[in-house]
């Protein structure tokens, strides 16, 4: 595979991490932070999705730019990270993940997707798979998207089956780009398509650090919902253990 540096358009690290707003700490926050910090130290890194393959990808929003609240279509050069949650050996089924590092004029947006069901109810259930191109990926938890609450999803396009083995993924991307449809849905509604993600080139730039939707979001698109406090405390504990 040709290892080329993308043409200067992917600059996710030019945006400094935004300090999260001051919030009242829940009484159980310390226990969650401590637990995730301990697991992070035990694993020597991230608790879940500890390693992954990174690629340059093109995100084309073709039905109005819901990422920025604009009516016009837009194209973003992004970084996509493919990973396995538990890092199970070989071709064993695992919960698969796709993380996106999206630089916009308003700031950096990190979006995390994992393999789940597609239908209402199943969209919040993690499902192990053997292929990166079979079945839905969702954000699992909702986002506030320009004032409405929605899940975001990625859906593989075509009938190509790509093994979930990370040691074979570079070769698969070199053979032909991987394509996914980006969509959103209300908690009980249908999926609405917004654009296409095309994963095409190995990322050879600097280490981007953690993909963190708690630190990297914009007012028009940010995580929300009753479980966000738990995830925020878990991320804080993991970051502390990694010295970030």
């Amino acid at each position: 595979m040709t290892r080329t540096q993308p043409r200067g358009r992917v600059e996710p690290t030019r945006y400094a991490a935004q300090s999260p707003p001051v919030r009242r700490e829940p009484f159980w926050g310390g226990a969650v932070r401590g637990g995730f910090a301990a697991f992070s130290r035990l694993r020597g890194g991230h608790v879940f999705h500890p390693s992954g393959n990174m690629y340059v990808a093109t995100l084309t929003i073709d039905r109005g730019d819901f990422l920025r609240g604009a009516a016009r279509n837009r194209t973003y050069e992004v970084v996509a990270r493919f990973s396995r949650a538990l890092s199970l050996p070989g071709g064993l089924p695992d919960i698969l993940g796709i993380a996106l590092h999206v630089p916009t004029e308003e700031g950096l947006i990190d979006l995390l997707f994992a393999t789940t069901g597609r239908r209402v109810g199943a969209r919040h259930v993690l499902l192990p798979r053997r292929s990166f191109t079979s079945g839905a990926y969702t954000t699992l938890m909702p986002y506030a998207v320009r004032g409405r609450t929605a899940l975001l999803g990625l859906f593989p396009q075509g009938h190509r089956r790509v093994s979930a083995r990370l040691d074979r993924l570079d070769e698969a991307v070199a053979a032909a780009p991987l394509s996914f449809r980006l969509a959103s849905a209300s908690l009980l509604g249908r999926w609405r398509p917004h654009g296409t993600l095309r994963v095409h080139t190995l990322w050879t730039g600097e280490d981007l650090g953690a993909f963190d939707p708690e630190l990297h979001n914009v007012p028009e698109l940010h995580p929300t919902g009753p479980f966000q406090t738990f995830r925020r405390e878990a991320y804080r504990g993991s970051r502390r253990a990694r010295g970030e």
Side-chain angles (χ1 to χ4, degrees), residues 60-206:
T60 302
I61 307 298
D62 55 22
R63 299 196 179 188
D65 190 354
F66 83 111
L67 288 178
R68 300 175 61 237
R72 66 184 184 278
N73 301 339
R74 286 291 297 269
T75 297
Y76 299 89
E77 291 297 311
V78 309
V79 177
R81 181 181 188 266
F82 286 69
S83 59
R84 296 166 60 91
L86 303 178
S87 296
L88 298 177
L92 291 176
D94 205 334
I95 297 165
L96 309 180
I98 299 177
L100 301 182
H101 219 49
V102 186
T104 74
E105 294 175 4
E106 285 72 22
L108 180 63
I109 301 173
D110 281 351
L111 300 173
L112 307 186
F113 300 86
T115 46
T116 66
R118 183 185 184 109
R119 298 179 182 275
V120 173
R123 298 169 183 173
H124 306 279
V125 180
L126 293 168
L127 298 175
R129 294 213 174 91
R130 293 179 178 270
S131 169
F132 279 113
T133 54
S134 63
Y137 295 77
T138 73
T139 52
L140 196 66
M141 297 183 187
Y143 270 71
V145 184
R146 285 190 292 163
R148 67 185 180 92
T149 300
L151 284 179
L152 305 182
L154 286 174
F155 302 93
Q157 300 295 288
H159 303 287
R160 184 181 177 198
R161 185 176 179 83
V162 175
S163 169
R165 294 186 56 159
L166 291 174
D167 59 350
R168 298 180 181 177
L169 190 55
D170 285 359
E171 183 179 352
V173 173
L178 306 184
S179 182
F180 300 83
R181 193 67 173 161
L182 174 68
S184 71
S186 65
L187 300 185
L188 299 176
R190 296 182 177 181
W191 291 104
R192 299 168 53 196
H194 293 286
T196 300
L197 177 72
R198 184 175 177 270
V199 182
H200 52 78
T201 307
L202 183 69
W203 167 255
T204 58
E206 62 187 61

Side-chain angles (χ1 to χ4, degrees), residues 21 28 45-46 54 71 89 101 103 164 173-174 181 212 238 241:
W28 43 262
H46 296 274
M54 294 171 59
H101 219 49
V173 173
R181 193 67 173 161
D212 193 331
S238 185

